[in-house]
Amino acid sequence: MLNNKKVGFIGAGAMAEAILKGLLEIGILTASQCMLSDISEQRLQYLSNQYGVSVTQDNLALVKHSDILILAVKPQIIGKVLDEIAPTVDKRTLVISIAAGICLSRLEETLQGVRVLRVMPNTPVAVSAGMAAISLGNLATKEDGQLAVKLFEAVGRAVIIAEDLMDGVTGLSGSGPGYAFVIIDALADAGVLVGLNRQTAILLAAQTLMGAAKMVLETGEHPAKLRDMVTSPAGTTIAGIHVLEQNGLRTALIDAVVEASKRSSEMNK
């Protein structure tokens, strides 16, 4: 699917590097297929030395190089970038934007006649455990969506969704790592309270959450069924769950996702 495809990244920050690293490590792309542009010459030099990829500070040169163009710039400057590259983007180029909050209509309005995708990845792409949601523009094909899934599965998992669900994705998986870090920190505090040292408590908490998530993903079972499997009558787990329910953990998490989704919608407008 990606044989002989040239992939270009406008923007060479942490998210772009994570995606690039994942693609190279699993062999979907070779360094010779990749080029990155950025305003920072020092950043480009680092990436060139680290991964052997081509780099440039000329966005238009990168656009001409690319069969697949990934826009990995901040939302505040994507308008300027779009205006700059619009006259140069070939109609055969697939453009993928990972700029938060930039809707497909905005991309299509500037890049007229070009196939565009919008992707919302989250920060665990940095450790190849990310989650990405992909929405297809009006001209994008099913094959374009499959290609994007393949790209982002190099750094985790990916799903295709309707764009009107993107705010919900932002509230759940985009902001979700933040919720998880709070939970891990709280569990670690509890571990310290019952006598564990901080380092051990953090390890126990983080590995436990990772293991539980892996069980959900790999078994395909509903979380409630897996919970029941570890909840013995009159045992320790049900005692702990009882306290969580009394204190509204479930409601707090649901409310957090809803509020984050509302905030995403407000920011997009």
Side-chain angles (χ1 to χ4, degrees):
M1 186 180 291
L2 291 170
N3 290 343
N4 302 317
K5 295 284 187 183
K6 299 289 187 179
V7 178
F9 294 79
I10 296 183
M15 190 70 76
E17 181 182 0
I19 296 167
L20 172 69
K21 181 181 178 182
L23 293 170
L24 295 177
E25 284 185 348
I26 67 174
I28 288 181
L29 292 174
T30 63
S32 64
Q33 292 174 269
C34 303
M35 179 181 284
L36 295 94
S37 69
D38 198 86
I39 59 172
S40 170
E41 186 175 351
Q42 182 178 3
R43 178 66 177 167
L44 292 175
Q45 189 61 53
Y46 160 76
L47 293 170
S48 178
N49 293 339
Q50 184 73 14
Y51 302 105
V53 296
S54 300
V55 296
T56 180
Q57 290 189 293
D58 185 343
N59 287 341
L60 299 185
L62 180 135
V63 168
K64 292 175 182 177
H65 158 276
S66 305
D67 301 305
I68 301 168
L69 179 62
I70 299 176
L71 304 178
V73 297
K74 295 184 183 301
Q76 299 92 317
I77 66 169
I78 195 168
K80 179 180 178 181
V81 171
L82 289 172
D83 289 340
E84 176 190 9
I85 67 173
T88 308
V89 178
D90 190 283
K91 297 296 188 290
R92 294 168 295 182
T93 302
L94 175 64
V95 176
I96 300 173
S97 170
I98 62 172
I102 304 302
C103 61
L104 287 167
S105 61
R106 170 92 177 275
L107 299 168
E108 291 176 331
E109 182 180 355
T110 308
L111 303 175
Q112 294 190 12
V114 175
R115 292 149 34 239
V116 298
L117 304 178
R118 176 184 174 188
V119 181
M120 175 67 197
N122 63 9
T123 55
V125 298
V127 291
S128 297
M131 184 69 233
I134 301 163
S135 294
L136 280 61
N138 290 318
L139 298 179
T141 66
K142 180 179 178 181
E143 290 72 23
D144 293 331
Q146 292 171 342
L147 185 148
V149 167
K150 188 175 181 65
L151 285 173
F152 285 90
E153 283 185 343
V155 287
R157 298 202 178 198
V159 294
I160 296 176
I161 65 163
E163 190 185 20
D164 60 6
L165 297 175
M166 272 294 185
D167 290 326
V169 168
T170 302
L172 178 54
S173 68
S175 301
Y179 315 150
F181 296 142
V182 171
I183 293 169
I184 290 169
D185 191 36
L187 289 173
D189 280 347
V192 172
L193 183 62
V194 297
L196 298 165
N197 66 59
R198 174 68 60 180
Q199 185 176 3
T200 300
I202 291 173
L203 174 62
L204 289 166
Q207 179 65 29
T208 298
L209 259 68
M210 186 179 76
K214 191 171 183 180
M215 286 184 70
V216 171
L217 292 171
E218 294 192 1
T219 66
E221 297 287 358
H222 192 284
K225 182 175 180 180
L226 295 172
R227 178 202 61 204
D228 287 347
M229 289 168 58
V230 298
T231 307
S232 303
T236 59
T237 304
I238 192 60
I241 290 174
H242 175 64
V243 174
L244 296 179
E245 296 289 2
Q246 277 186 322
N247 286 275
L249 175 66
R250 184 187 300 269
T251 299
L253 289 172
I254 292 171
D255 288 348
V257 172
V258 171
E259 285 303 310
S261 300
K262 287 180 180 177
R263 181 58 181 150
S264 174
S265 178
E266 291 167 359
M267 291 173 66
N268 291 343
K269 292 176 183 177

